[in-house]
C-alpha cells in the first residue's frame, strides 16, 4: 500500500459519520441512521455518497466536502505513482 | 485525521454556518460561469495569475468560480480545508494577506503551498446578511507581493458582488 499523498487520507465511513454528526449537531445521530438505512446499512462510502447527495441540503454539502477530499486523494495518488514508476 | 484538523472541521462545520451555506443552490450550472467571470475580472484588475471564489465546507474548500487554476485542484473543484488559506480568511472573518509564503513558518508544512508554487495570497471573506462568513474571494500570485488597501478594496467589491449573485441562487 503506497503512503497517503502528503498525508491526505482517503475518506472513510467514519469520516462521513463524523461529518454528519458535526454539521447536523444534535440531529446528527438521527440523520446518520436514516442515511445508513437508505444506503442499505452499507460500510461502503461509494454507496453512501450518492445517498448523501440526494438527501437534505446540509448533508449534500457534507457529501461534497468528502467528494473533494476523495478526488484530491485520487489525483495526488496518481501523480505519486507516476513519479515513482 | 489529526486533532488539529478535527478542531478545524468542527469550527467550519458548525450547524448554524452550514445551514446558511445550504440556503444557496451552490450546484446551479449558471453559478459557476458567472463566478468564473467574476474571478477573471478580479485577476485582471489585480494583475494576478489566479483568482478564486470559494465556499468553505466542513472539511473542504469548494471552488465555485476560478481563473487561472489547472490540474488536480480544478479537477477536484477544491482542496482539503486544512490546506486552504481561504479557511484562515473565513475563520478570521477579515482580510488575510501573505506577502511571501516562504517566510511564513506556519505555512512551511502546507502541502498545497509546496506543490503549487503559491507565493503570495490575499483573500477577503464572503459574508452573508447575518454576519456568517461563508467563503472567500482571493487572488494568488507566484511571486512575493505587498497587497495594498486598493487591492483589498477590489477584492471586497468582488465579494459583495459574489453575495449578490448567490442571493439570486437561493434554494
Amino acid at each position: 500500500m503506497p503512503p497517503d499523498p502528503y498525508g491526505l487520507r482517503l475518506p472513510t465511513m467514519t469520516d462521513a459519520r463524523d461529518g454528519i454528526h458535526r454539521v447536523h449537531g444534535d440531529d446528527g445521530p438521527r440523520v446518520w441512521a436514516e442515511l445508513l438505512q437508505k444506503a442499505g446499512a452499507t460500510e461502503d462510502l461509494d454507496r453512501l455518497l450518492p445517498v448523501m447527495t440526494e438527501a437534505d441540503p446540509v448533508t449534500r454539502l457534507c457529501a461534497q466536502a468528502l467528494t473533494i477530499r476523495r478526488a484530491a486523494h485520487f489525483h495526488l495518488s496518481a501523480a505519486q505513482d507516476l513519479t515513482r514508476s | 485525521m489529526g486533532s488539529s484538523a478535527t478542531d478545524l472541521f468542527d469550527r467550519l462545520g458548525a450547524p448554524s454556518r452550514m445551514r446558511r451555506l445550504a440556503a444557496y443552490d451552490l450546484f446551479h450550472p449558471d453559478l459557476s460561469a458567472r463566478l468564473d467571470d467574476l474571478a477573471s475580472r478580479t485577476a485582471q484588475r489585480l494583475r494576478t495569475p489566479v483568482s478564486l471564489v470559494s465556499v468553505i465546507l466542513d472539511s473542504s474548500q469548494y471552488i465555485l468560480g476560478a481563473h487561472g487554476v489547472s490540474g488536480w485542484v480544478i479537477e477536484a473543484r477544491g482542496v482539503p480545508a486544512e490546506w486552504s488559506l481561504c479557511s484562515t480568511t473565513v475563520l478570521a472573518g477579515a482580510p488575510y494577506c501573505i506577502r511571501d509564503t516562504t517566510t511564513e513558518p506556519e505555512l512551511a508544512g502546507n502541502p498545497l503551498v509546496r506543490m503549487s508554487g503559491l507565493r503570495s495570497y490575499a483573500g477577503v471573506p464572503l459574508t452573508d446578511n447575518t454576519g456568517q462568513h461563508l467563503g472567500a474571494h482571493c487572488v494568488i500570485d507566484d511571486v512575493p507581493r505587498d497587497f495594498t488597501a486598493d487591492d483589498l478594496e477590489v477584492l471586497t467589491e468582488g465579494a459583495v458582488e459574489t453575495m449578490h449573485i448567490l442571493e439570486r441562487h437561493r434554494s
Side-chain angles (χ1 to χ4, degrees), chain B:
Chain B
M1 224 70 76
S3 63
S4 62
T6 304
D7 291 345
L8 175 69
F9 300 168
D10 286 346
R11 292 176 70 192
L12 294 171
S16 56
R17 187 173 168 280
M18 294 302 291
R19 280 195 297 271
R20 297 298 305 181
L21 276 167
Y24 302 100
D25 181 5
L26 301 178
F27 303 96
H28 194 286
D30 293 345
L31 185 61
S32 164
R34 299 191 68 175
L35 294 178
D36 282 350
D37 177 63
L38 188 150
S40 179
R41 281 186 277 122
T42 297
Q44 283 172 13
R45 289 177 73 184
L46 295 187
R47 295 187 173 83
T48 55
V50 172
S51 176
L52 301 173
V53 179
S54 309
V55 289
I56 306 297
L57 306 177
D58 64 315
S59 64
S60 292
Q61 173 178 348
Y62 175 28
I63 297 171
L64 301 179
H67 171 86
V69 185
S70 60
W72 70 268
V73 172
I74 207 65
E75 292 285 331
R77 293 302 298 186
V79 299
E82 65 272 33
W83 297 355
S84 158
L85 301 186
C86 288
S87 293
T88 304
T89 302
V90 165
L91 291 176
Y96 173 57
C97 298
I98 297 167
R99 181 188 180 279
D100 183 352
T101 56
T102 64
T103 62
E104 299 288 335
E106 69 269 24
L107 295 177
N110 186 313
L112 187 63
V113 171
R114 278 164 49 203
M115 273 182 273
S116 65
L118 185 168
R119 199 72 188 272
S120 52
Y121 168 95
V124 299
L126 304 177
T127 306
D128 75 2
N129 57 10
T130 70
Q132 285 279 6
H133 307 302
L134 305 180
H137 180 35
C138 75
V139 287
I140 291 168
D141 213 331
D142 54 7
V143 293
R145 174 163 172 169
D146 287 310
F147 291 99
T148 66
D150 286 347
D151 294 337
L152 293 180
E153 184 55 35
V154 169
L155 281 169
T156 301
E157 287 171 17
V160 169
E161 186 179 342
T162 296
M163 290 311 300
H164 286 318
I165 293 170
L166 286 178
E167 284 301 323
R168 290 198 285 274
H169 286 84
R170 278 200 169 269
S171 298

